[in-house]
Amino acid sequence: MASATTSAEILRHTTAFTSELLSQSSLRLRLSSVLRRKHPTSDQNVIRQLNIAAETLENAISTSNSSNRLPSLRRAEKLLQSHPDTLFSSFLLSLLYALLNRHIEAAHSLFNVFSSDPSLARSEIAPIVYEELFIIHLLPVLQSFKEQRFRILSSLSSKSLGYDSDKKSRFEKSVVVSGTRLLSKMSGGQTSELKELEMDYEQVLDENCRLLVGYFREVLSNENESKLTRPPSPILQKTVKCDEFKLNEDGQSKVIELRNCGPTWAEGERSVEFSSSSCSTKSKSPSFYPQRVSPKIFRNQKSRRALNAISPNLNSGSELESSSEDNLSTSSESESETQEKNRNMALFEPRGSRIQKQKQPIYAESSSSPERVMAADSDDLPGGGKCTPPKDFVCPITSHIFDDPVTLETGQTYERKAIQEWIDRGNSTCPITRQKLHSTQLPKTNYVLKRLIASWREQNPGHVSTHSDNPDPETDLIFSSTLAVLPSTSPNSVISQATMDGTISELRLAITKLCMSEILRESEKAVLRIEQFWREMNMGFEIQTMLSKPAVINGFVEILFNSVDPRVLRASVFLLCELGSRDKTVIQTLTQVDSDVECIVALFKNGLLEAVVLIFLLRPSTISLIEMDMVESLLVVIKKKQDDFLEMCLKPKVASILLLRQILGSSEEGIVPSIARTVASAKAINNIIESLEAEWTEERIAAVGILLRCMQQEGKCRHTIADKAELAPVLESFMGASDEERFEIINFFSELVKLNRRTFNEQVLRIIKDEGAFSTMHTLLIYLQTALQDQCPVVAGLLLQLDLLVEPRKMSIYREEAIDTLISCLRNSDLPAAQIAAAETIVLLQGRFTSSGKSLTRASLLKRAGLDKSYRTQMQVDQLSDTSKESEENLEEEQAADQWEKKMAYVLVSHEFGLLFEALAEGLKSRNQELHSSCFLSATWLMHMLNVLPDTGIRGAARVCLLKRFISMFKSAKNTEEKALSMLALSSFIHDPEGLNDLTSHMKDLLKGLRELKKSCILAVDMLKVFSDGNNSSIDWWNHTELVQVDCSAHGEVLSIVCFRDKIFSGHSDGTIKVWTGRGSILHLIHESREHTKAVTSLAILESGERLYSGSLDRTARTWSIGSEAIYCVEIHDMKDPVNNLVVANSIACFIPQGAGIKVHSWSGASKLLNPNKYVKCLTLVHGKLYCGCHDNSIQEIDLATGTLSSIQSGSRKFLGKANPVYALQIHDGMIYSGSSPLDGAAVKIWSAANYNMVGSLASTMEVRSLAVSSELIYLGSKSGGTVEIWCGKKLTRVETLQTGTNGKVQCMALDGDEQVLVVGTSDGRIQAWGLS
């Protein structure tokens, strides 16, 4: 009886099956289609619900978002559980539970399929599960039915086959008869009996499947395995023609021979061999040969082969032939011996694997028709003759005996040259079967057939080949030298000599069986015996030479292709490794045939982990290693306990480390980073770190290379490496390493000290400096003087960091040499790689890093400039905690980082009185963007550090070398960050009188950029304040230049202007809206629209910028979509009143109607009147509050949410008989600006929006009709004369007056987003643009 199955085994196989289904949509759809067809068509409602559930499940599988997937799975589960008894629902539930990681429930649902329809489940739905879990328990059933079939076939007499019984001589030799012919000689009763047996067999299998489902369910319910659940006895159903089937007397099931189970024999036409009962010996000439199938095909046909293995299709002629061969062929072994052999084979098979067939002589598919019979080499048979070769020894293309036979995936064998010529002509099919070939690359030579041909030729020396044969000397002389008499290994001892001779004789016999035997089990025993000889004896050179012969090596390879016994496979790999490590010709033999290497790799990836040593010895190219895709298997070996492996010439872990290093050393940039991340995330880092202490230097250096790549791609692993790595062995490896390996070790150390905690970095640096049997710094200094130029900066950077572990001294040879090297490389324009490496090294010397090892130099400098978004983002990625304890640690780390930064900056800038600044200035002139960027960052950092370093005159050197360069970069910087960094560097000179004087001479170039940065950088405000305090006249600060003027008088007055992004929009009194360019060529007309019938009084754009709104005297407001080159009206709103001064929010619009009050209009159509007692002249809307400037000089604030009205300025009576309306209102930075006439002495008043207190006024003499306010300036548009006054917002003094060149009113003004361009619209139809210069 088969041993008990554990719940872990059940879940492993069922989970593997469901996982494969979830990953292959085509397979899911095919199986779903099969199950739909099996469902009764009468119940359409159930079918519809199951289809909905299937579709929902498919959507959930294809969805990567887990939050969206879970609700879909719940809906599908609810639908399926309402119909739990159907095949389709059970199948879908197994997938659903697998997706939810509820694997036990998934297994139960899958077993429901087996219970409901066992035949369908094992043949179409889940044959893999059937093979892995069920077959091992069904061996007694299979054996019983095989015996019953044997009884039926044995009733066929020799007479029924047409042979005369008295011609005994005909049966003394093998006679090969086609299975199809055998079937034709059966009587009707025999055929019916076979069919009935087949039906009984299917029924018994079904019942046993249901029985085993119950057993598996019981095992799964016993989760903690507290009790042992025995497998049930198989059901052997009684039939009419046979007695009741029983188990063997010993209660054990027999391992039977099943066709197509073995992975290495091709399907083909089988022939049945009959012999007389008196015959006791085999035919001398085998009439058939084994045929190898590619391992790739074996994997692809895995399920189909297993299915064929367990289904004895008695209607098939080929099956009858197979059964006859299994049961009727004559053998020197008795039946009991055969059963014992089979039982022994089963002991080597791993649990859950499919039953493997013993390697027996079988036919490959004949090169002629299926009915063709390959006759034995006998004179008695028709057409036979001693010199007539068997037909399967002859190529069907050339009609000559094979010289180099190759067997294609279709089972057909051809001469290599002939089939290669066939393929070279463009054919991609098998010449005989016409089947499509998956690969046009020919397999290795069929050595088994080649040996059979050689044997036949020896027995038929009179045969004359019909063509010029070119026999392979290796085949003809397989053992000519191998079996030669070997000299005595111990001439002093007769006994030991005799023992050695006996052992060598046994070894020769084992080698002979390995190379010549057609029985797989014999070859496997030979391998185990040879391994025993190797381990127990001190193998001399002669014996090693014996085993290194190509024929023997090919014999081992045949075992790798054919055997499924783990012991045999491991022994074969062990022997090949031992031989290959001693003899290069063994490796040459193995690498001559690509399929041999592929087989070894496939075995390794399938769990034969010792094969990694053999792969390493084969020395595959790096590209080949990447294509083999065996990183996961290498990591399995690295993580596995080494005690679990055989003792070999090289430890599997060492081979894996060396191969992994070779892969990661590839130049394939698109693949290697992902492999390195896989290694870093596979939790194998600790095992690789252990190799840093290995005795073998090559292993230590390989581990260094792997860890270096992991740190470069997945930086967070450097914390684990720094914490656990022993660096002393690595330092000792440095002395004996090659130059390339030395640089890799230095790179490793440089990466290792990129930790995000400064104190940890210094601890690691001390270990590097102090450990090891020699002076690290002296060794680095010597290496620095001989290293390649582009490697020198990294070496110099590490040496400089080690030197700074103590307080900087006045003189240090290590420091001087390191900095000189950095400057020399930075100036070497002939080698840009060295320049870039030097500049990047200086950037890294600042010493601040993220947890992934990325430099924080740029982010920290931007933070100091006031742009701390980048710094905060990287800190959030590092996930720093805010607990008090960690806050204290962070404070300590920050102090340590500041101290390190000061020390490093001091020694760099002090070297040769600022010589580094000259080198950086030269680098900033480079057109190489990478070099320029690194030099820019390095120079910015060092110039900024001048503010905190003692002034030793170095600031003057920096000013001379870099000031003008940074002013130029500040002016030309295209983005805010570059401008902010330039400003940070320049800020180091504002407190230096000479530096400030130089900056003041370029003040006009600096002011514009500083004003742009004022919004985001407090440092810009400070610099502007310094410049302002040092300049008595504000007038010198501001200068506006007219950019362009356009005449639109044909469209009447310009009543409204608004700027948005790169466009300017203007509204005119004839109803026209024009769109102008706002950047580059300003006021270039790109579109105009005249859909309003009367004047466009106002334009407004929401902050979102999605829509433009226009208000008109034609009583409508229109919504426009803003395109890249035009605007499009998308909505028209009937406002019921002429629209003046339109302001909009998300859902409402406010405007001034014809009479008193303010109209609030909802976009849905509703409207109401606010402030009905006031005649309003101007409006502005900010944050839900509406500000009104009235005809009586009053100003009100209305909260639109509550309707509350507050008075900011009370109205006044007419002054000297004249009204004093508020014509313009602007809200900016919490201040309210109102513009009116200067009757009361101030044309513009400034109020606080928080408490309504007046905080200032502008004593302009103009009547202000329009206002525009920037962060620094206030623009006033006059009623007449076309004048625009500009006032300083801080000092409230007039700084400039602009003349538009017209006598009309300045009716509207607008500023662009950068506050650098002022656009003015006048009553005489002119539009002008002024730029702040």
Side-chain angles (χ1 to χ4, degrees):
M1 180 176 292
S3 59
T5 304
T6 64
S7 59
E9 289 177 305
I10 295 172
L11 290 178
R12 183 172 74 250
H13 295 307
T14 56
T15 303
F17 172 71
T18 52
S19 299
E20 184 178 5
L21 281 180
L22 290 174
S23 64
Q24 298 185 25
S25 59
S26 58
L27 181 59
R28 284 197 310 275
L29 294 175
R30 184 178 66 80
L31 295 183
S32 297
S33 177
V34 171
L35 290 166
R36 282 191 185 95
R37 290 196 299 269
K38 289 289 182 180
H39 196 280
T41 57
S42 57
D43 199 348
Q44 290 298 323
N45 184 42
V46 174
I47 293 176
R48 184 177 61 82
Q49 293 187 27
L50 292 180
N51 287 337
I52 293 173
E55 185 177 352
T56 305
L57 182 59
E58 279 296 324
N59 292 336
I61 293 173
S62 61
T63 300
S64 57
N65 190 333
S66 58
S67 60
N68 295 336
R69 174 188 293 174
L70 195 56
S72 299
L73 292 178
R74 287 175 178 166
R75 288 195 298 272
E77 183 180 11
K78 188 174 180 181
L79 278 172
L80 293 172
Q81 286 179 341
S82 61
H83 308 286
D85 299 329
T86 67
L87 276 172
F88 195 19
S89 63
S90 298
F91 173 74
L92 295 177
L93 278 171
S94 67
L95 297 181
L96 185 145
Y97 291 141
L99 205 57
L100 293 171
N101 292 322
R102 291 153 58 180
H103 298 298
I104 293 180
E105 294 173 79
H108 280 296
S109 297
L110 185 59
F111 287 144
N112 284 342
V113 178
F114 276 92
S115 179
S116 300
D117 194 337
S119 178
L120 181 69
R122 65 176 180 263
S123 62
E124 292 193 59
I125 304 303
I128 294 295
V129 176
Y130 176 66
E131 296 168 32
E132 304 289 0
L133 291 177
F134 289 79
I135 282 184
I136 193 66
H137 299 283
L138 297 176
L139 294 180
V141 179
L142 303 177
Q143 179 65 21
S144 298
F145 276 87
K146 181 177 178 179
E147 291 171 358
Q148 186 67 11
R149 183 182 59 181
F150 173 76
R151 293 191 190 100
I152 298 172
L153 294 176
S154 62
S155 64
L156 292 173
S157 66
S158 61
K159 216 170 199 182
S160 65
L161 296 173
Y163 292 100
D164 194 349
S165 59
D166 61 355
K167 293 184 179 179
K168 185 176 180 180
S169 62
R170 287 189 177 273
F171 293 96
E172 290 179 354
K173 294 210 178 253
S174 305
V175 181
V176 181
V177 183
S178 169
T180 306
R181 182 181 174 192
L182 178 64
L183 183 62
S184 66
K185 298 296 182 179
M186 285 185 180
S187 65
Q190 290 168 332
T191 305
S192 300
E193 193 173 355
L194 283 174
K195 291 181 178 179
E196 186 177 352
L197 179 62
E198 182 180 8
M199 289 188 290
D200 291 342
Y201 172 76
E202 291 294 329
Q203 292 174 5
V204 171
L205 281 184
D206 288 351
E207 290 306 314
N208 278 285
C209 282
R210 294 188 177 96
L211 183 65
L212 287 172
V213 164
Y215 163 63
F216 293 147
R217 291 187 191 279
E218 187 178 352
V219 173
L220 288 176
S221 63
N222 184 21
E223 293 183 9
N224 55 6
E225 300 184 1
S226 57
K227 63 177 182 178
L228 180 63
T229 306
R230 294 284 183 185
S233 298
I235 298 173
L236 303 176
Q237 184 176 344
K238 185 176 180 180
T239 62
V240 177
K241 297 291 181 75
C242 305
D243 296 333
E244 182 175 356
F245 300 139
K246 298 178 181 179
L247 292 172
N248 297 334
E249 291 179 1
D250 58 359
Q252 297 295 324
S253 62
K254 296 180 181 178
V255 179
I256 63 173
E257 298 174 5
L258 302 174
R259 74 189 295 261
N260 298 335
C261 284
T264 58
W265 312 109
E267 291 187 35
E269 176 67 22
R270 305 287 183 92
S271 298
V272 185
E273 181 178 350
F274 293 96
S275 299
S276 69
S277 58
S278 63
C279 183
S280 60
T281 59
K282 292 184 181 179
S283 173
K284 292 182 180 180
S285 300
S287 57
F288 33 70
Y289 57 90
Q291 195 164 339
R292 181 187 305 164
V293 176
S294 169
K296 294 181 180 177
I297 300 175
F298 161 59
R299 289 195 294 271
N300 294 337
Q301 297 179 345
K302 180 179 179 183
S303 303
R304 188 176 63 195
R305 284 201 314 274
L307 188 59
N308 293 337
I310 61 168
S311 180
N313 185 359
L314 299 177
N315 292 325
S316 168
S318 62
E319 182 64 29
L320 279 169
E321 293 165 3
S322 176
S323 74
S324 300
E325 179 189 345
D326 289 339
N327 296 290
L328 302 181
S329 62
T330 315
S331 174
S332 61
E333 296 177 340
S334 66
E335 184 179 354
S336 60
E337 289 173 337
T338 304
Q339 292 174 358
E340 182 62 28
K341 275 192 174 185
N342 290 336
R343 188 177 293 110
N344 291 337
M345 280 187 67
L347 296 177
F348 293 106
E349 292 177 352
R351 175 172 300 278
S353 66
R354 70 174 60 79
I355 303 169
Q356 300 292 347
K357 182 171 181 179
Q358 181 175 323
K359 180 181 176 184
Q360 292 289 351
I362 64 171
Y363 262 125
E365 190 166 357
S366 175
S367 59
S368 56
S369 65
E371 293 299 321
R372 174 177 259 170
V373 178
M374 190 184 81
D377 187 25
S378 172
D379 293 332
D380 295 330
L381 294 178
K386 284 188 176 181
C387 293
T388 302
K391 293 181 176 60
D392 280 19
F393 287 1
V394 177
C395 174
I397 297 178
T398 64
S399 299
H400 301 316
I401 294 179
F402 288 119
D403 180 47
D404 188 4
V406 290
T407 302
L408 303 185
E409 61 199 48
T410 60
Q412 302 294 334
T413 304
Y414 302 98
E415 178 64 31
R416 181 182 295 277
K417 292 181 179 179
I419 190 63
Q420 185 64 58
E421 184 177 351
W422 167 268
I423 293 173
D424 291 344
R425 291 177 181 174
N427 299 299
S428 59
T429 59
C430 175
I432 290 180
T433 67
R434 294 300 176 183
Q435 292 178 345
K436 180 77 173 178
L437 298 176
H438 293 90
S439 173
T440 56
Q441 183 176 359
L442 296 182
K444 64 178 287 185
T445 300
N446 189 332
Y447 287 109
V448 178
L449 176 58
K450 195 167 185 176
R451 287 199 295 269
L452 291 173
I453 295 172
S455 176
W456 180 85
R457 278 178 167 158
E458 289 176 1
Q459 296 175 18
N460 296 273
H463 170 70
V464 179
S465 178
T466 56
H467 73 297
S468 177
D469 289 330
N470 182 23
D472 188 349
E474 179 182 270
T475 304
D476 294 341
L477 303 173
I478 294 178
F479 296 111
S480 60
S481 59
T482 301
L483 301 181
V485 178
L486 298 175
S488 171
T489 58
S490 179
N492 299 324
S493 171
V494 175
I495 297 176
S496 61
Q497 176 65 42
T499 303
M500 177 60 70
D501 290 343
T503 302
I504 291 175
S505 296
E506 291 185 40
L507 181 59
R508 288 174 183 157
L509 180 60
I511 293 174
T512 303
K513 287 185 177 180
L514 171 65
C515 296
M516 302 300 293
S517 177
E518 300 303 323
I519 300 177
L520 177 60
R521 188 60 190 145
E522 285 187 3
S523 299
E524 291 178 331
K525 287 182 178 179
V527 170
L528 295 176
R529 189 71 180 122
I530 294 171
E531 182 202 20
Q532 184 181 1
F533 286 139
W534 186 274
R535 291 187 181 277
E536 293 178 355
M537 297 179 62
N538 182 18
M539 287 296 182
F541 175 76
E542 296 84 358
I543 296 177
Q544 177 186 319
T545 304
M546 265 169 81
L547 293 173
S548 299
K549 291 293 181 182
V552 183
I553 299 303
N554 286 329
F556 287 128
V557 174
E558 291 291 326
I559 290 295
L560 293 181
F561 269 97
N562 300 330
S563 180
V564 293
D565 188 332
R567 281 183 55 201
V568 175
L569 292 172
R570 294 176 78 183
S572 300
V573 167
F574 166 77
L575 290 168
L576 288 172
C577 290
E578 294 294 314
L579 294 168
S581 64
R582 292 167 168 79
D583 190 345
K584 292 183 179 180
T585 60
V586 173
I587 302 301
Q588 293 172 359
T589 302
L590 289 171
T591 53
Q592 282 176 355
V593 183
D594 292 340
S595 58
D596 289 353
V597 180
E598 293 173 3
C599 173
I600 296 168
V601 173
L603 288 170
F604 172 56
K605 293 168 71 173
N606 289 332
L608 186 61
L609 300 183
E610 287 84 358
V612 70
V613 179
L614 186 53
I615 295 173
F616 172 74
L617 293 174
L618 294 176
R619 301 292 181 182
S621 66
T622 303
I623 296 177
S624 299
L625 283 174
I626 294 175
E627 292 174 350
M628 290 173 187
D629 188 25
M630 59 182 189
V631 172
E632 295 292 343
S633 299
L634 292 175
L635 294 177
V636 170
V637 177
I638 291 171
K639 292 188 287 186
K640 194 175 180 65
K641 291 182 179 179
Q642 299 306 300
D643 296 339
D644 298 338
F645 294 110
L646 296 173
E647 281 192 33
M648 304 179 71
C649 59
L650 184 67
K651 291 181 179 179
K653 178 185 176 181
V654 177
S656 298
I657 291 286
L658 295 172
L659 288 173
L660 188 58
R661 170 65 188 90
Q662 185 180 346
I663 292 172
L664 291 175
S666 167
S667 58
E668 296 288 333
E669 297 180 359
I671 300 175
V672 171
S674 62
I675 295 176
R677 286 190 288 270
T678 299
V679 175
S681 61
K683 299 182 180 178
I685 292 294
N686 290 339
N687 305 86
I688 300 173
I689 291 173
E690 293 173 0
S691 292
L692 294 177
E693 304 176 57
E695 295 182 3
W696 196 26
T697 303
E698 282 76 2
E699 182 182 356
R700 295 201 296 265
I701 294 176
V704 166
I706 295 171
L707 296 174
L708 173 60
R709 297 299 181 275
C710 290
M711 286 190 290
Q712 290 172 339
Q713 299 301 327
E714 188 60 41
K716 292 187 178 180
C717 68
R718 63 171 36 86
H719 295 273
T720 302
I721 300 170
D723 184 46
K724 298 185 178 181
E726 287 290 335
L727 301 182
V730 180
L731 290 166
E732 292 170 5
S733 303
F734 187 86
M735 294 301 295
S738 65
D739 287 342
E740 183 180 354
E741 292 168 344
R742 287 184 179 186
F743 182 65
E744 192 161 58
I745 292 173
I746 291 174
N747 246 333
F748 170 73
F749 288 142
S750 299
E751 284 290 333
L752 199 58
V753 293
K754 292 180 182 179
L755 301 169
N756 63 339
R757 293 186 179 271
R758 188 65 242 167
T759 53
F760 292 176
N761 274 331
E762 295 186 17
Q763 290 175 14
V764 176
L765 284 168
R766 290 187 186 282
I767 293 173
I768 297 172
K769 181 179 180 181
D770 299 335
E771 289 196 4
F774 51 88
S775 170
T776 303
M777 295 184 67
H778 182 72
T779 304
L780 291 179
L781 181 62
I782 298 300
Y783 177 65
L784 179 61
Q785 296 168 350
T786 59
L788 296 176
Q789 191 77 355
D790 57 345
Q791 297 176 353
C792 286
V794 179
V795 184
L798 181 60
L799 183 61
L800 184 56
Q801 291 180 74
L802 294 174
D803 183 73
L804 284 189
L805 288 174
V806 296
E807 286 298 321
R809 300 180 295 276
K810 289 185 178 180
M811 184 64 182
S812 167
I813 186 173
Y814 304 112
R815 182 171 70 241
E816 299 296 321
E817 187 69 25
I819 300 177
D820 277 338
T821 299
L822 288 174
I823 295 174
S824 174
C825 291
L826 203 55
R827 285 180 157 175
N828 188 358
S829 58
D830 294 333
L831 195 60
Q835 288 182 290
I836 294 170
E840 290 178 345
T841 299
I842 296 171
V843 172
L844 296 174
L845 290 175
Q846 191 221 25
R848 298 176 190 269
F849 303 96
T850 66
S851 61
S852 59
K854 294 180 180 179
S855 173
L856 276 173
T857 303
R858 183 182 180 89
S860 62
L861 291 176
L862 286 171
K863 179 186 176 184
R864 294 168 188 175
L867 300 177
D868 60 347
K869 182 179 179 180
S870 175
Y871 186 83
R872 282 188 283 107
T873 300
Q874 297 200 46
M875 290 299 100
Q876 289 171 0
V877 172
D878 279 359
Q879 297 178 345
L880 297 177
S881 174
D882 290 330
T883 61
S884 59
K885 181 179 179 180
E886 290 202 358
S887 295
E888 292 176 4
E889 291 180 359
N890 291 338
L891 180 60
E892 180 184 352
E893 290 295 332
E894 189 63 30
Q895 291 174 348
D898 288 342
Q899 187 176 5
W900 174 269
E901 187 178 8
K902 289 179 183 178
K903 285 197 299 184
M904 183 60 71
Y906 178 75
V907 299
L908 287 173
V909 301
S910 300
H911 181 76
E912 297 289 340
F913 200 72
L915 186 62
L916 182 58
F917 288 127
E918 292 184 20
L920 290 172
E922 293 175 12
L924 288 171
K925 299 175 183 178
S926 173
R927 294 184 179 180
N928 185 307
Q929 184 59 39
E930 194 175 357
L931 174 61
H932 182 276
S933 178
S934 297
C935 288
F936 172 66
L937 205 55
S938 299
T940 300
W941 168 51
L942 294 175
M943 289 174 69
H944 169 69
M945 291 305 296
L946 294 176
N947 289 324
V948 296
L949 296 177
D951 187 7
T952 58
I954 304 300
R955 196 188 305 270
R959 184 179 70 252
V960 171
C961 296
L962 295 170
L963 181 64
K964 290 184 178 180
R965 174 66 56 182
F966 268 86
I967 290 175
S968 174
M969 289 189 293
F970 181 77
K971 290 168 54 181
S972 61
K974 295 181 180 180
N975 60 67
T976 303
E977 288 190 355
E978 299 296 318
K979 194 176 288 292
L981 290 174
S982 300
M983 176 190 67
L984 180 66
L986 293 173
S987 67
S988 62
F989 299 108
I990 61 176
H991 301 294
D992 173 39
E994 293 183 9
L996 182 60
N997 184 57
D998 289 344
L999 287 174
T1000 304
S1001 62
H1002 298 87
M1003 187 166 56
K1004 290 186 178 181
D1005 297 327
L1006 300 173
L1007 287 177
K1008 180 179 179 180
L1010 290 174
R1011 289 171 188 145
E1012 293 174 1
L1013 292 172
K1014 181 181 177 182
K1015 303 174 186 177
S1016 54
C1017 299
I1018 189 65
L1019 183 59
V1021 177
D1022 294 339
M1023 290 185 69
L1024 283 171
K1025 184 177 180 181
V1026 171
F1027 289 147
S1028 176
D1029 293 342
N1031 195 296
N1032 295 326
S1033 174
S1034 297
I1035 297 175
D1036 295 338
W1037 276 60
W1038 314 106
N1039 182 26
H1040 288 77
T1041 305
E1042 183 178 355
L1043 302 177
V1044 66
Q1045 180 178 160
V1046 293
D1047 186 0
C1048 302
S1049 56
H1051 298 283
E1053 300 180 22
V1054 181
L1055 300 178
S1056 55
I1057 286 180
V1058 63
C1059 297
F1060 179 73
R1061 293 178 183 168
D1062 59 347
K1063 293 183 178 63
I1064 300 171
F1065 304 89
S1066 60
H1068 301 262
S1069 59
D1070 67 345
T1072 301
I1073 299 176
K1074 295 192 176 188
V1075 184
W1076 313 82
T1077 55
R1079 299 265 174 94
S1081 178
I1082 297 177
L1083 289 182
H1084 174 73
L1085 183 65
I1086 56 178
H1087 178 73
E1088 68 176 57
S1089 174
R1090 189 176 179 181
E1091 296 193 21
H1092 284 290
T1093 59
K1094 292 187 179 181
V1096 178
T1097 59
S1098 49
L1099 297 172
I1101 296 179
L1102 291 178
E1103 291 183 1
S1104 63
E1106 297 176 354
R1107 294 287 187 267
L1108 170 70
Y1109 299 88
S1110 60
S1112 172
L1113 297 180
D1114 63 3
R1115 300 175 183 265
T1116 65
R1118 293 177 182 256
T1119 305
W1120 305 80
S1121 172
I1122 302 175
S1124 59
E1125 298 292 337
I1127 58 174
Y1128 309 94
C1129 182
V1130 295
E1131 199 169 358
I1132 302 174
H1133 305 278
D1134 185 4
M1135 312 301 282
K1136 310 297 184 186
D1137 284 290
V1139 178
N1140 290 285
N1141 212 157
L1142 177 73
V1143 292
V1144 296
N1146 288 328
S1147 58
I1148 62 170
C1150 304
F1151 64 93
I1152 302 172
Q1154 186 71 32
I1158 301 168
K1159 206 87 173 279
V1160 179
H1161 180 85
S1162 171
W1163 296 129
S1164 61
S1167 63
K1168 62 180 177 179
L1169 190 66
L1170 299 179
N1171 206 9
N1173 299 322
K1174 296 284 187 176
Y1175 286 88
V1176 180
K1177 300 293 288 184
C1178 57
L1179 289 177
T1180 188
L1181 178 62
V1182 178
H1183 301 311
K1185 293 184 178 180
L1186 187 64
Y1187 296 89
C1188 315
C1190 302
H1191 189 270
D1192 62 357
N1193 199 240
S1194 63
I1195 302 174
Q1196 288 90 31
E1197 177 193 85
I1198 303 174
D1199 191 329
L1200 294 179
T1202 62
T1204 306
L1205 187 146
S1206 304
S1207 180
I1208 298 173
Q1209 175 176 275
S1210 301
S1212 60
R1213 294 182 179 179
K1214 293 182 180 180
F1215 188 72
L1216 299 177
K1218 292 184 179 181
N1220 188 19
V1222 177
Y1223 291 109
L1225 275 179
Q1226 286 288 328
I1227 311 295
H1228 186 276
D1229 200 18
M1231 297 294 177
I1232 304 170
Y1233 298 83
S1234 65
S1236 60
S1237 65
L1239 292 176
D1240 57 356
V1244 176
K1245 296 178 182 178
I1246 307 171
W1247 316 80
S1248 170
N1251 53 25
Y1252 309 145
N1253 292 331
M1254 191 171 76
V1255 296
S1257 63
L1258 304 181
S1260 174
T1261 58
M1262 297 191 311
E1263 181 175 318
V1264 177
R1265 288 301 179 98
S1266 57
L1267 280 173
V1269 182
S1270 72
S1271 56
E1272 295 176 280
L1273 299 174
I1274 306 169
Y1275 298 88
L1276 313 181
S1278 68
K1279 176 185 177 181
S1280 60
T1283 302
V1284 177
E1285 289 186 351
I1286 305 173
W1287 293 68
C1288 176
K1290 180 180 179 183
K1291 298 182 178 180
L1292 301 182
T1293 57
R1294 187 172 62 190
V1295 296
E1296 193 175 1
T1297 301
L1298 307 179
Q1299 297 293 336
T1300 62
T1302 177
N1303 292 324
K1305 292 185 291 185
V1306 178
Q1307 300 202 118
C1308 51
M1309 293 189 297
L1311 287 165
D1312 70 343
D1314 296 331
E1315 300 180 350
Q1316 298 297 306
V1317 177
L1318 172 71
V1319 185
V1320 177
T1322 63
S1323 59
D1324 59 358
R1326 295 178 182 273
I1327 302 177
Q1328 282 184 314
W1330 299 77
L1332 180 61
S1333 61

